[in-house]
Amino acid sequence: MLLQQLPEDVLYQIMSYLDCRSLSRMCQVCRSICVFVNRDAVWRRVAKQFLNTGISRDGKDIYPHIPLKERVKIAQNWCDGVCRRATLLKWKTKLLPWLQLERDLLFLSQAADIGVHRLQKDSGRLQRNPSQIYSGHDGDVCRFVLTDSHLISGGSDGRILVHSRTSNVSTQLSGHNQEVNCLDSKDGLIVSGSRDQTTKIWTLTSKYPRDTIPMYDRVWSVAISPTVSSFVTGTACCQNFSPLRIWDAERLECVCSLGSEFRRGAGVLDMVFESPSQLFTCGYDTFIRLWDLRLSPRKCVMEWEEPHDSALYCIQTDRNHMIASGSSYYGVVRLWDKRQTECLQFFQLSTESVSSPVYCLRFSSTHLYAALATALHSLDFRQNPICIR
């Protein structure tokens, strides 16, 4: 019996023993085998082992519109640091920009406005002139988040604006008397943190805060759990308690504090829920930490240290093996493999004479975008690696 005459389930079993190089060579056997090998089902097992292929740990496919074989090719470049660098936008005044990425749209805050830039499908570059602008703050936008129906922004004027994405209607939420450093929103719930040392809980249907929690410290970061039953606050760590605390979203009681050995000033600048039980944090103490919230007591189960002793301003994960982090000096972006303790790749985006933190970064399967004080940079990883052509 010829290979292509075998039942499909047998072929799948045979292909499951092959690595990416061998699968690519199988595509050269004949046309019918090539068609079979190019199926996503054949590449799914291999894809789970690579960085940023869009297959999360629970098996969900984040980029179903891109063939898995192509994503595995690009993932090899993420591992090897093979990319093309570009500066997409520049501005003269130093800002603290923030980013959000949604399919082919890049949302970028500059001073008091948030511009929506469309990304070109083939090149990954963006239209310089925004197709839409969200405005209304009297000061700079500090943070903003996207939901399916709204864009919610917090500014240095202490206000939170809820912009409808389907109309020109904006609602102002008043409550903080100093800059809103952070906010998050899920399923109609909004949690904000401010320099005024409070955390406030809002709903999309009310202009006034539902509840206020005194924090007795500046709040740098917040994150709502995927289950929306709790949220986490990260403070400046200038008081005698842990900067990381978990709160019950209904009762507003502190469920627990995470960690106890933070040094004074080791504020938490960014945090990301990868699942209801896994939380990643970073900040001034130069560490990325993974917290397992299923354990009792909840504790840090893994950490990665920034090798140049720089504060970490932002992180993002691919929900599988990769972490990307932005450092406080020279625009350094690092890629980490969670299965290793050492940094996998790093990219310096600013010069020694014009040093800037990476205030925010976001990535897709093919590009990484990083916002610095005076420019927006991109790394394009769509180069064909030799090993799996």
Side-chain angles (χ1 to χ4, degrees):
M1 181 178 289
L2 298 176
L3 182 66
Q4 58 267 35
Q5 295 175 327
L6 291 172
E8 285 195 352
D9 57 339
V10 177
L11 274 177
Y12 278 124
Q13 184 67 22
I14 293 172
M15 300 302 172
S16 69
Y17 291 97
L18 303 183
D19 59 15
C20 58
R21 184 193 293 261
S22 300
L23 285 174
S24 296
R25 288 174 174 171
M26 284 294 295
C27 291
Q28 301 173 6
V29 172
C30 66
R31 184 173 298 177
S32 61
I33 292 295
C34 180
V35 171
F36 181 85
V37 172
N38 282 336
R39 295 180 183 180
D40 281 1
V42 174
W43 287 87
R44 181 169 288 270
R45 181 192 60 83
V46 173
K48 288 183 178 180
Q49 307 303 315
F50 279 85
L51 304 183
N52 199 29
T53 56
I55 303 298
S56 63
R57 190 167 299 178
D58 59 5
K60 182 179 180 182
D61 194 343
I62 303 173
Y63 311 114
H65 57 288
I66 305 175
L68 261 180
K69 178 183 176 182
E70 296 303 314
R71 282 183 268 166
V72 170
K73 287 183 178 181
I74 297 169
Q76 184 69 53
N77 293 326
W78 287 85
C79 294
D80 297 338
V82 178
C83 64
R84 183 184 295 112
R85 307 186 186 198
T87 302
L88 303 183
L89 289 175
K90 288 185 177 181
W91 47 89
K92 295 181 179 180
T93 305
K94 287 188 176 182
L95 303 173
L96 279 73
W98 195 253
L99 293 174
Q100 294 291 355
L101 186 62
E102 186 182 72
R103 295 185 293 275
D104 61 343
L105 298 177
L106 184 73
F107 296 74
L108 170 66
S109 67
Q110 293 176 280
D113 297 330
I114 302 170
V116 185
H117 300 265
R118 188 167 295 279
L119 296 167
Q120 298 175 6
K121 184 177 180 181
D122 296 329
S123 66
R125 293 183 173 273
L126 78 169
Q127 295 179 349
R128 297 186 63 86
N129 296 322
S131 59
Q132 188 175 359
I133 295 177
Y134 295 94
S135 58
H137 285 282
D138 293 331
D140 289 356
V141 173
C142 300
R143 289 287 189 276
F144 67 91
V145 294
L146 297 176
T147 68
D148 292 338
S149 56
H150 294 86
L151 183 150
I152 306 164
S153 60
S156 60
D157 54 5
R159 295 188 299 164
I160 296 174
L161 295 182
V162 179
H163 307 272
S164 171
R165 298 181 61 181
T166 57
S167 65
N168 294 323
V169 177
S170 297
T171 304
Q172 176 181 319
L173 309 183
S174 300
H176 291 292
N177 54 37
Q178 295 188 52
E179 64 190 63
V180 180
N181 296 127
C182 53
L183 55 83
D184 195 10
S185 178
K186 284 184 177 67
D187 294 346
L189 181 71
I190 303 172
V191 178
S192 63
S194 170
R195 187 173 186 157
D196 65 10
Q197 302 187 358
T198 65
T199 294
K200 294 184 182 293
I201 294 85
W202 319 70
T203 62
L204 286 174
T205 58
S206 175
K207 294 184 179 180
Y208 300 97
R210 190 190 78 186
D211 295 287
T212 299
I213 304 174
M215 302 295 295
Y216 310 106
D217 205 355
R218 181 171 182 169
V219 185
W220 277 119
S221 54
V222 296
I224 302 174
S225 167
T227 62
V228 200
S229 61
S230 62
F231 62 89
V232 184
T233 57
T235 58
C237 199
C238 293
Q239 303 298 328
N240 295 322
F241 46 76
S242 170
L244 275 170
R245 284 178 283 177
I246 302 177
W247 304 82
D248 186 283
E250 286 297 326
R251 302 193 307 269
L252 301 183
E253 296 176 353
C254 181
V255 177
C256 71
S257 297
L258 299 179
S260 58
E261 298 181 356
F262 292 91
R263 67 176 186 265
R264 184 175 178 83
V268 178
L269 296 177
D270 197 13
M271 59 178 70
V272 177
F273 269 103
E274 191 166 80
S275 72
S277 61
Q278 290 187 315
L279 176 71
F280 286 86
T281 64
C282 70
Y284 282 119
D285 67 351
T286 76
F287 281 91
I288 302 171
R289 289 187 170 90
L290 168 60
W291 303 87
D292 191 331
L293 307 183
R294 295 169 298 184
L295 301 177
S296 181
R298 300 167 177 87
K299 63 180 182 179
C300 175
V301 293
M302 193 170 292
E303 58 185 28
W304 299 265
E305 184 177 10
E306 215 289 333
H308 290 165
D309 201 32
S310 299
L312 296 172
Y313 274 53
C314 55
I315 51 174
Q316 188 185 2
T317 78
D318 69 347
R319 298 174 60 189
N320 193 14
H321 297 306
M322 191 181 83
I323 309 171
S325 65
S327 302
S328 58
Y329 295 117
Y330 308 119
V332 172
V333 170
R334 295 188 185 275
L335 303 182
W336 308 80
D337 189 329
K338 298 174 190 174
R339 298 163 292 187
Q340 306 173 15
T341 56
E342 301 296 326
C343 170
L344 184 65
Q345 298 292 340
F346 84 97
F347 310 90
Q348 182 175 323
L349 302 181
S350 66
T351 62
E352 294 185 5
S353 59
V354 188
S355 177
S356 166
V358 178
Y359 288 110
C360 186
L361 59 81
R362 294 289 183 266
F363 58 78
S364 63
S365 64
T366 57
H367 289 77
L368 184 146
Y369 301 94
L372 278 63
T374 58
L376 174 66
H377 297 264
S378 75
L379 303 175
D380 183 353
F381 290 88
R382 295 174 304 170
Q383 310 294 317
N384 286 332
I386 295 175
C387 64
I388 58 171
R389 279 180 179 169

